[in-house]
Amino acid sequence: MTAMPKIRAQYHSLAGKRVLITGGATGIGAGLVEAFAEQGAHIAFVDVNHEAGAAVAERFAPARFHACDLRDIAALQATIATVAEQLGGIDILINNAANDDRHSIAEVTPDYWDDRMAVNLRHLFFAAQAVVPYMRQAGGGAIVNFGSISWHLGLPDLVLYQTAKAAIEGMTRSLARDLGRDNIRVTTIVPGNVQTPRQEKWYTPEGEAEIVSAQCLDGRIQPADVAALALFLASDDARMCTGHDYFVDAGWR
């Protein structure tokens, strides 16, 4: 496996920026909290996992953790208002939270459909809607949504997750058009199969070897690889990047 560099690129424009990250307690999300903390950003993150969230906040203090079930839009909106008050505004939103539980077509019910859309799609829009006034007040901002390589590959037993993730890329295009004149950029990161404890739950060592063999590059993608792309897209260095999808998948095909 190719080792990650010990020192990240430093984006001076991120120092002091007010960043909100969803799903920041574990996996990719925890890697995002770490990466923005290293840039000197002021960070708040939300997650439904109280214990893991508190641990990440302690590790990367003064990052602020807010427990929130993103399916509850009223609670999400209230939390974002609290974050904006604490940080003095919001410059960057990282819409990372999602859940890729497996399911067959036959077992999907209307209630399960609604729950999966609430977990994987709906909150991204309402989080973006809630931060826009703060970004306008600041003269601009960046919204980074998280898609998934899964629907590009058509992986099995993920039809609702893949439906939601495909919709996110369309939402990014629309938001970028509507918000661009406010100097608010909207992009999507499309991760490949990232080596996290959750993903290791789904794949055997043989399955992981198959993923690597389908990639153009050897090695397993790490949360830090994804965070590196998020840092760039959120920074002023990406000032002309909006409305598009950016892959970090080691060329998985």
Side-chain angles (χ1 to χ4, degrees):
M1 180 184 298
T2 303
M4 282 295 296
K6 294 182 180 179
I7 301 175
R8 298 183 199 269
Q10 289 295 308
Y11 295 97
H12 299 296
S13 63
L14 293 177
K17 285 295 177 71
R18 300 157 299 186
V19 182
L20 173 61
I21 299 168
T22 67
T26 60
I28 294 173
L32 292 165
V33 173
E34 178 180 6
F36 279 95
E38 289 181 358
Q39 299 291 323
H42 302 305
I43 304 161
F45 67 98
V46 300
D47 204 289
V48 73
N49 189 328
H50 293 235
E51 183 177 354
V56 169
E58 181 177 2
R59 181 180 175 192
F60 300 112
R64 300 170 182 265
F65 168 57
H66 295 265
C68 183
D69 185 337
L70 297 176
R71 293 173 295 184
D72 184 340
I73 298 302
L76 171 61
Q77 292 167 331
T79 299
I80 290 175
T82 298
V83 167
E85 182 177 0
Q86 291 175 340
L87 300 183
I90 298 172
D91 302 301
I92 297 164
L93 169 64
I94 310 295
N95 264 328
N96 161 72
N99 181 288
D100 61 347
D101 279 354
R102 271 54 175 174
H103 50 269
S104 68
I105 293 173
E107 68 184 314
V108 173
T109 64
D111 286 344
Y112 186 65
W113 169 281
D114 290 343
D115 180 73
R116 293 297 89 188
M117 293 303 117
V119 167
N120 292 309
L121 174 62
R122 187 178 64 176
H123 64 84
L124 281 80
F125 173 82
F126 286 101
Q129 181 190 62
V131 302
V132 163
Y134 304 109
M135 292 182 177
R136 283 178 173 150
Q137 186 176 27
I143 298 171
V144 181
N145 297 321
F146 269 67
S148 171
I149 193 65
S150 61
W151 79 267
H152 292 273
L153 299 175
L155 299 180
D157 299 326
L158 285 169
V159 63
L160 299 191
Y161 179 75
Q162 292 178 151
T163 298
K165 288 298 186 178
I168 288 167
E169 294 184 24
M171 183 173 66
T172 290
R173 296 281 287 178
S174 297
L175 290 175
R177 172 57 68 188
D178 289 348
L179 298 174
R181 301 306 175 193
D182 295 309
N183 195 33
I184 298 172
R185 300 182 296 103
V186 189
T187 55
T188 298
I189 289 177
V190 182
N193 190 280
V194 182
Q195 191 175 37
T196 65
R198 178 170 177 79
Q199 287 304 313
E200 290 178 333
K201 166 185 173 182
W202 300 116
Y203 292 98
T204 64
E206 293 77 16
E208 291 198 346
E210 290 179 6
I211 291 168
V212 173
S213 69
Q215 296 175 172
C216 298
L217 300 174
D218 287 332
R220 298 285 278 115
I221 303 165
Q222 300 300 309
D225 297 307
V226 181
L229 181 54
L231 292 176
F232 169 71
L233 290 174
S235 76
D236 290 352
D237 291 53
R239 68 185 187 89
M240 299 304 285
C241 296
T242 196
H244 289 290
D245 314 319
Y246 298 85
F247 287 70
V248 53
D249 67 347
W252 190 12
R253 296 290 184 270

